[in-house]
């Protein structure tokens, strides 16, 4: 697959604060790319530079084959952005919000009606088109936010914490729609999130910490490098202690041991069958990866 985003040696400082320090990464066309980091790690700064809202201090940004320097207006047409906080006008109806936004891209008249019909079907908006945004549920409003970002059929959809505050069913619905668009239209999705199950589904992950890239790779590569495997044992703590390995108590009667890989787990089980009457082996999760890579926990709030 070809690269649709190329960022090389990007720098941005605010006085003495170095928000982005020499970061480089690439995003391939049609992939789900996860950009992770705690608040202040440099994600929002990077996204603002990509969208032309901030001037970079140095480095190269290329989006859809166009260098950001001198091509900002063209690049903006390639980008659709869903911000963490909705930018919809709560006093206006869903229809008026979408019509106003479409007009900014020159999509009016029949062209708007056609695109609106497509998005209405895709996001199930028919019953709420005439309702004010302020009267919608969080899930309904979020679907409109995403539809708004896709009005002009961008090549890249930037999602900044898109499902924060949504119930699991609505999150699943939104992701189902986006996955379909990625397959049908080769839409590239650039995601920031603190829901690690969303990051675990990404094609590629970059973890930022203090303005620098601390880890990157596919979720599987990151889990293998930073998290290893875990054995969860259900039963007698004395038998767990007798194994002579560090362990953590998850809850009463439930204990977790970190192992390098499945081979180490298998050897431990074969050597100590009496301790493993009830157990399971699981791969480390993205939460474990983030903690190992940054020394910090990614648990809610902005990422």
């Amino acid at each position: 697959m070809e690269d649709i985003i190329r960022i090389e040696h990007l720098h941005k400082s605010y006085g003495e604060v170095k928000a982005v320090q020499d970061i480089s990464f690439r995003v391939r066309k049609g992939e789900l790319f996860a950009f992770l980091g705690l608040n202040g790690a440099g994600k929002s700064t990077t996204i603002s530079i990509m969208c032309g809202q901030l001037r970079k201090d140095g480095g190269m940004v290329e989006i859809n084959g166009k260098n950001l320097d001198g091509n900002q207006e063209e690049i903006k047409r390639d980008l659709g952005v869903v911000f963490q906080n909705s930018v919809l006008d709560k006093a206006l109806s869903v229809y008026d919000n979408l019509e106003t936004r479409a007009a900014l891209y020159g999509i009016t008249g029949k062209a708007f009606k056609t695109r609106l019909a497509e998005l209405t079907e895709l996001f199930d908006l028919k019953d709420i088109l005439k309702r004010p945004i302020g009267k919608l549920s969080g899930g309904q409003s979020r679907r409109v936010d995403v539809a708004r970002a896709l009005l002009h059929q961008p090549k890249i959809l930037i999602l900044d914490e898109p499902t924060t505050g949504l119930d699991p069913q609505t999150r699943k619905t939104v992701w189902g729609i986006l996955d379909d668009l990625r397959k049908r239209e080769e839409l590239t999705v650039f995601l920031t999130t603190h829901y690690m199950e969303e990051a675990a589904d990404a094609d590629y992950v970059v973890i930022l910490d203090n303005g620098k890239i601390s880890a990157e790779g596919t979720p599987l590569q990151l889990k293998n490098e930073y998290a290893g495997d875990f054995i969860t044992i259900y039963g007698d703590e004395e038998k767990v202690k007798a194994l002579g390995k560090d362990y953590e108590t998850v809850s009463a009667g439930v204990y977790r041991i970190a192992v390098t890989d499945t081979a180490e787990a298998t050897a431990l089980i074969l050597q100590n069958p009496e301790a493993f009457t009830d157990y399971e082996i699981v791969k480390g999760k993205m939460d474990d990866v983030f903690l190992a890579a940054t020394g910090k926990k990614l648990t809610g709030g902005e990422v």
Side-chain angles (χ1 to χ4, degrees):
M1 288 188 294
E2 62 183 289
D3 295 328
I4 194 166
I5 298 173
R6 289 176 57 226
I7 290 182
E8 296 180 1
H9 305 296
L10 186 64
H11 288 268
K12 178 64 182 179
S13 298
Y14 302 97
E16 296 297 313
V17 178
K18 296 180 179 179
V20 174
Q21 303 181 57
D22 193 29
I23 67 170
S24 300
F25 62 86
R26 298 186 178 194
V27 181
R28 292 183 173 183
K29 184 177 181 181
E31 80 176 356
L32 170 57
F33 178 93
F35 202 45
L36 307 180
L38 292 174
N39 194 22
K43 299 178 325 306
S44 294
T45 296
T46 302
I47 289 172
S48 294
I49 290 171
M50 288 166 57
C51 294
Q53 296 174 324
L54 267 182
R55 292 180 64 88
K56 57 185 171 62
D57 294 338
M60 187 277 292
V61 176
E62 184 182 280
I63 296 175
N64 199 25
K66 297 180 281 284
N67 193 301
L68 182 65
D69 296 335
N71 295 289
Q72 286 191 12
E73 290 308 311
E74 286 182 62
I75 286 174
K76 284 179 181 178
R77 295 194 69 88
D78 290 327
L79 300 175
V81 186
V82 178
F83 298 98
Q84 181 174 357
N85 297 314
S86 178
V87 293
L88 299 169
D89 190 323
K90 292 184 178 181
L92 295 181
S93 68
V94 172
Y95 182 97
D96 289 341
N97 267 277
L98 296 178
E99 183 181 39
T100 302
R101 182 63 179 177
L104 295 177
Y105 291 98
I107 305 170
T108 58
K110 186 176 180 181
F112 170 66
K113 298 286 187 184
T114 300
R115 185 59 176 153
L116 178 65
E118 294 169 351
L119 293 171
T120 296
E121 181 178 357
L122 194 61
F123 289 93
D124 192 21
L125 305 178
K126 184 178 179 181
D127 293 336
I128 62 172
L129 278 176
K130 297 301 182 182
R131 290 175 62 185
I133 295 295
K135 299 292 185 182
L136 301 182
S137 69
Q140 290 170 329
S141 179
R142 209 44 163 167
R143 294 206 310 270
V144 179
D145 271 317
V146 180
R148 174 187 179 275
L150 293 171
L151 272 166
H152 60 297
Q153 296 180 288
K155 304 292 186 185
I156 302 162
L157 180 63
I158 296 175
L159 301 174
D160 187 11
E161 296 282 355
T163 57
T164 297
L166 299 186
D167 62 90
Q169 183 56 47
T170 303
R171 288 214 307 270
K172 185 177 179 181
T173 299
V174 169
W175 276 110
I177 294 168
L178 294 175
D179 288 342
D180 183 55
L181 284 169
R182 286 179 56 222
K183 291 170 187 170
R184 286 196 292 114
E185 301 181 12
E186 282 195 289
L187 178 70
T188 303
V189 176
F190 188 105
L191 169 74
T192 75
T193 183
H194 70 268
Y195 291 109
M196 289 295 95
E197 69 269 24
E198 294 180 345
D201 289 334
D203 296 299
Y204 200 81
V205 178
V206 165
I207 297 176
L208 281 187
D209 188 34
N210 294 323
K212 298 178 181 178
I213 293 176
S214 60
E216 64 178 304
T218 67
L220 181 59
Q221 287 170 341
L222 290 172
K223 288 176 185 179
N224 285 338
E225 182 174 353
Y226 289 95
D229 293 349
F230 292 94
I231 310 174
T232 301
I233 302 174
Y234 304 90
D236 186 352
E237 185 172 8
E238 291 305 314
K239 289 183 179 179
V240 177
K241 283 182 180 177
L243 295 172
K245 295 186 70 66
D246 291 336
Y247 68 92
E248 63 174 305
T249 302
V250 178
S251 60
V254 182
Y255 311 96
R256 191 168 86 150
I257 298 173
V259 290
T260 304
D261 51 29
T262 306
E264 183 185 345
T266 302
L268 191 63
I269 293 164
L270 291 175
Q271 291 164 12
N272 305 274
E274 69 285 350
F276 294 94
T277 54
D278 191 5
Y279 69 93
E280 60 182 333
I281 304 173
V282 295
K283 284 282 184 192
K285 301 184 185 306
M286 289 303 294
D287 305 73
D288 302 308
V289 170
F290 191 89
L291 178 61
T294 67
K296 302 164 187 173
K297 287 189 176 182
L298 193 58
T299 53
E302 287 189 38
V303 185

